[in-house]
């Protein structure tokens, strides 16, 4: 299908609407908003915060921020989910460019300016760049390292970088508002991975999704193992749902973690069967099943030696824990999502 190239002039994209869904994130919202207000973009801007029903002080903080700057508007997001918040913000947007912002992210000062220039130069419907994960504690640094290596979250350009050009999806995204309206905004039935699904529709309707490494957004990873596990489980759950809904649009890399989980689980079961065989005096040939978890354990150790070299002993030690946490929880989530259990399991995840 031919690429969609809207007619543009240097003055056709004037004004930017930043849209940020927020729910129970009092620790990060202020930095995210401050990075927006510090942009060197010279045309009019507005900051639309779609505020979910938070219980951690986020509501009060956001209200205070809005009272101090009339560019900030607070919109009620009763549902609380990310896609619902994004759609509320897009519908309320005054300007032709919509910048998606995550409350865990911090935009570089030239982000909007470079993004709008790239929209005009390429005629793309959406441009985005790199999710530049950066941690402050050894645990967070280990998570950030896993995000930015192929052994962690895979080889997508928005995680590991790459050359500028058309892409399957990008991190966050800077959109032409009319392109979002053309495809019907975000699908609110998809709680995670909604950006990938929307970019799929943009491409299928002739639009271009454009990746540029010039756009690198600082991302603060989860700060504890249980939060990381919950995040990865939910992400894998919805990726499994998307793989089931759109089988032709998913690469083989999405199936590697669930295949690993199934293989290791089966191997452990077989190995335990071998122990039973030995206890009963039979030939314990099922012990061969332990090869699967041992091979995966060796993979984790080698990956840690290669990826975490020079990062410090504490970060390397946490990487040994973080990597299997990501793989296992994401893989289990994927299997459950692929088996159509998303609607029953995902209710507790909120976003």
């Amino acid at each position: 299908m031919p690429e969609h190239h809207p007619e543009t002039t240097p003055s056709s994209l004037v004004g930017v609407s930043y849209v940020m869904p927020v729910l129970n994130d009092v620790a990060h919202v202020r930095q995210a908003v401050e990075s927006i207000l510090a942009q060197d973009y010279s045309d009019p801007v507005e900051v639309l915060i779609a505020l979910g029903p938070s219980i951690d002080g986020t509501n009060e903080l956001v209200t205070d921020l809005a009272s101090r700057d009339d560019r900030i508007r607070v919109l009620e997001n009763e549902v609380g989910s990310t896609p619902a918040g994004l759609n509320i913000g897009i519908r309320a947007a005054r300007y032709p460019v919509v910048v998606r912002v995550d409350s865990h992210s911090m935009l570089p000062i030239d982000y909007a300016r470079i993004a709008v220039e790239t929209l005009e130069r390429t005629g793309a419907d959406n441009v985005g760049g790199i999710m530049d994960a950066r941690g402050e504690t050894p645990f967070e640094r280990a998570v950030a390292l896993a995000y930015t290596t192929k052994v962690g979250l895979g080889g997508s350009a928005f995680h590991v970088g790459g050359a500028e050009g058309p892409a399957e999806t990008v991190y966050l995204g800077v959109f032409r508002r009319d392109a979002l309206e053309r495809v019907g905004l975000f699908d609110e039935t998809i709680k995670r991975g909604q950006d990938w699904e929307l970019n799929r529709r943009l491409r299928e309707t002739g639009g271009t999704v454009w990746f540029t490494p010039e756009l690198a957004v600082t991302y603060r990873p989860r700060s504890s193992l249980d939060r990381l596990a919950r995040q990865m489980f939910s992400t894998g759950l919805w990726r499994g749902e998307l793989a089931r809904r759109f089988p032709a649009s998913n690469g083989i890399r999405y199936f590697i973690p669930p295949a690993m989980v199934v293989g290791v689980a089966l191997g452990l079961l077989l190995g335990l069967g071998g122990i039973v065989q030995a206890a009963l005096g039979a030939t314990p040939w099922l012990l061969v099943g332990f090869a699967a978890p041992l091979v995966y354990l060796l993979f984790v150790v080698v990956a840690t030696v290669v990826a975490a070299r020079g990062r410090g002993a504490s970060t390397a030690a946490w990487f040994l824990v973080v990597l299997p946490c990501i793989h296992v929880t994401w893989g289990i989530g994927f299997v459950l999502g692929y088996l159509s259990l998303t609607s029953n399991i995902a209710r507790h995840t909120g976003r």
Side-chain angles (χ1 to χ4, degrees):
M1 184 175 290
E3 291 183 354
H4 176 70
H5 292 288
E7 292 297 324
T8 63
T9 66
S11 60
S12 65
L13 299 176
V14 177
V16 164
S17 298
Y18 298 87
V19 175
M20 182 169 65
V22 175
L23 176 70
N24 289 325
D25 207 356
V26 69
H28 300 98
V29 172
R30 185 183 296 277
Q31 283 186 313
V33 172
E34 288 175 348
S35 77
I36 295 172
L37 299 178
Q39 294 288 293
D40 64 7
Y41 188 73
S42 59
D43 288 317
V45 302
E46 62 178 348
V47 183
L48 304 172
I49 300 177
L51 182 60
S54 303
I55 58 173
D56 67 343
T58 298
N59 293 28
E60 293 78 8
L61 174 59
V62 168
T63 300
D64 179 66
L65 291 172
S67 70
R68 297 171 184 272
D69 196 309
D70 59 11
R71 291 172 293 178
I72 301 174
R73 282 198 285 154
V74 181
L75 309 171
E76 186 177 4
N77 176 15
E78 292 182 358
V79 176
S81 73
T82 296
L86 289 169
N87 286 345
I88 288 168
I90 293 164
R91 292 188 183 105
R94 297 174 179 146
Y95 299 121
V97 175
V98 173
V99 180
R100 177 180 176 177
V101 186
D102 188 281
S103 58
H104 273 248
S105 63
M106 289 185 291
L107 305 181
I109 192 171
D110 55 1
Y111 184 80
R113 177 171 54 80
I114 291 175
V116 172
E117 289 172 355
T118 306
L119 282 174
E120 292 176 331
R121 172 170 57 85
T122 63
D125 284 341
N126 178 22
V127 302
I130 296 172
M131 178 183 180
D132 185 17
R134 293 174 181 254
E136 296 178 346
T137 67
F139 174 80
E140 290 173 356
R141 286 195 288 270
V143 177
L145 181 60
Y147 279 12
T148 55
T149 58
K150 290 184 177 181
V151 297
L153 291 182
S156 296
F158 71 84
H159 283 305
V160 300
E164 181 181 41
E168 177 185 55
T169 191
V170 291
Y171 180 53
L172 298 180
V174 178
F175 303 86
R176 297 177 187 271
R177 192 182 66 195
D178 58 1
L180 291 170
E181 293 167 347
R182 184 182 81 236
V183 298
L185 309 188
F186 287 89
D187 185 339
E188 294 186 23
T189 69
I190 300 173
K191 305 301 183 184
R192 288 185 181 268
Q194 66 281 145
D195 48 354
W196 175 89
E197 193 279 329
L198 181 133
N199 285 321
R200 180 192 66 84
R201 279 183 282 134
L202 287 176
R203 291 184 286 104
E204 285 190 348
T205 56
T208 300
V209 178
W210 191 267
F211 169 80
T212 174
E214 284 191 88
L215 298 176
V217 180
T218 300
Y219 175 83
R220 295 301 185 198
R222 297 300 189 268
S223 58
S224 65
L225 195 62
D226 65 316
R227 291 181 179 180
L228 176 66
R230 289 199 301 269
Q231 179 194 25
M232 288 297 114
F233 176 78
S234 182
T235 302
L237 190 75
W238 286 100
R239 174 47 63 184
E241 170 76 8
L242 291 171
R244 183 181 58 79
R245 288 195 198 184
F246 312 107
S249 301
N250 289 270
I252 189 66
R253 64 189 175 87
Y254 294 118
F255 293 87
I256 294 175
M260 178 276 298
V261 166
V262 172
V264 169
L266 289 176
L268 285 171
L269 289 174
L270 289 173
L272 291 173
I275 293 175
V276 172
Q277 286 178 321
L280 296 175
T283 303
W285 61 272
L286 289 177
L287 288 174
V288 70
F290 283 133
L294 288 173
V295 167
Y296 176 69
L297 180 61
L298 179 61
F299 164 79
V300 170
V301 171
V302 171
T304 300
V305 170
V306 173
R309 182 180 301 164
R311 307 275 183 164
S314 296
T315 298
W318 271 119
F319 193 80
L320 281 169
V321 178
V322 163
L323 196 61
C325 174
I326 290 174
H327 291 162
V328 172
T329 54
W330 196 100
I332 291 173
F334 184 99
V335 171
L336 296 176
Y338 196 79
L339 294 175
S340 306
L341 300 178
T342 306
S343 59
N344 295 326
I345 298 173
R347 290 191 182 117
H348 72 282
T349 64
R351 301 179 69 182

